[in-house]
Amino acid sequence: MDFNKIRATFQQVKQITKHQNEIKKLLSEDFNIYSILGKEHMENNTHSNFIGELLNPQGSHYFDDTFLKMFLTEVGLTGTLDTLSTKVMIEKHIGYIDKNAKTGGRIDIFLEDKLGHSISIENKINAGDQEDQIQRYCNYNQGKNKVLYLTLWGEDAGDISRGKLKADCDYQLISYKDHILNWVEDCQKEAINKETVRSGLSHYIHLIKKLTNQNMEAGKEKELHELIKTNYLEARLMADHITAVEREETYKIFEEAQSRLKEKLKEDAEIGLSTWEEWHNSWHGMGILFKSGEYDIRLNVEGQSRIWQQYTIIGFAKSGNTGEAINYIAPNGFENTGFGNGAKSSNGWHVYKHFLGWDRHEERAKLFDPIERKNIIDYIVNSILELVEEFGDIKQS
């Protein structure tokens, strides 16, 4: 392998990246209301609400059922609903979860017409699959209900969620990258004479492109493709090692954070870190065990998927904390605690919140910038210290 050729290829890619950044500045593409407000990854508060509003024939866009019809066309479900009578509900409650019957739960986006026909959309940006989730939704309103599984890239649901059900047979896969982006761009064209609606759609389009890494200028994208074709073996070698480099660097960052936490907390807490081999798996990361009264409390920092490629969460998992212990440290719930308004709960967690966002290339690039790297470690350490000191019997240093 010619490493001089690899270095030359890197330089050419850097020139393309530099040009792309200049275009972004010229067009002010980084000025995005969702990014500024820190709402990029909120599945329900951002994405489900926005998509639901567009789908709603009574929505504030005043386009009646136009956007809904366009969506049904995009996902191949034209004629499934009586569009003018369709009602849209966000987080539709379909009963308490029954693990034996595989029923119940909350559907992220639920559409139903006057004839009882429905579409259930499970919206996944960063959250992991819940047990029997797709099975439960497929069992709701059987015979009249279409279930759509929406992710950034069109990935399938995990075995834990779908069981023996099959994609594109029992339920349908759709993606932000293709279906939602195409649909919202069509909506924007339809709203050409409605400035407020068109501007709102423009912000959302840029957000989707950012989340799915599609914000490169068409000409430069073609140039990059040609560069890869010309230097395929070199490009393949680099691509094959990117994941290993990201994994290695995130592990080193958590090792440094662990070292600093041990120095700060000393005998007040035990700080455990997943092994290098475990770092490759879902739901691994760092665990902090400390005392609160008579209870052992475990604070977990874990990747919902591989920690260096997905959104990381921090919180109190049910596997390491009894209900009595959680009631002791937060008798009034977690809303007015360090978890704040972003506090969530699930089948596996008493409480958690989003913590580190390494699901985007731009964020992972910070791993290799010395200043950003230090900021990340500081953030990990300080965030954990604040929660441990709030909920535990920790001596102030």
Side-chain angles (χ1 to χ4, degrees), residues 170-188:
D170 302 298
Y171 60 97
Q172 184 176 336
L173 304 179
I174 61 173
S175 71
Y176 280 92
K177 177 180 178 292
D178 296 315
H179 300 93
I180 299 300
L181 180 58
N182 292 341
W183 168 57
V184 178
E185 287 181 334
D186 287 343
C187 292
Q188 187 185 40

Side-chain angles (χ1 to χ4, degrees), residues 91-98 103-107 136-137:
E91 293 196 84
K92 161 78 171 175
H93 181 63
I94 58 171
Y96 292 105
I97 292 175
D98 185 327
T103 57
R106 290 184 182 274
I107 298 170
R136 288 187 273 110
Y137 298 166

Side-chain angles (χ1 to χ4, degrees), residues 249-264:
E249 199 57 32
T250 53
Y251 196 75
K252 286 181 179 178
I253 280 175
F254 269 88
E255 282 184 320
E256 290 185 41
Q258 180 190 36
S259 178
R260 284 179 52 183
L261 286 167
K262 284 182 175 180
E263 183 180 337
K264 289 277 188 181

Side-chain angles (χ1 to χ4, degrees), residues 19-70:
H19 176 82
Q20 186 61 28
N21 288 335
E22 289 170 352
I23 294 295
K24 285 171 64 178
K25 288 181 180 179
L26 184 65
L27 299 178
S28 300
E29 288 184 355
D30 285 335
F31 186 82
N32 185 281
I33 192 68
Y34 300 103
S35 303
I36 293 168
L37 296 177
K39 304 291 185 181
E40 291 183 350
H41 297 86
M42 292 187 172
E43 284 158 352
N44 289 325
N45 290 341
T46 296
H47 296 278
S48 292
N49 284 344
F50 190 86
I51 291 170
E53 185 67 14
L54 290 182
L55 293 172
N56 188 355
Q58 293 81 42
S60 55
H61 47 72
Y62 297 123
F63 276 84
D64 300 324
D65 62 345
T66 300
F67 294 161
L68 173 55
K69 285 180 176 178
M70 293 165 68

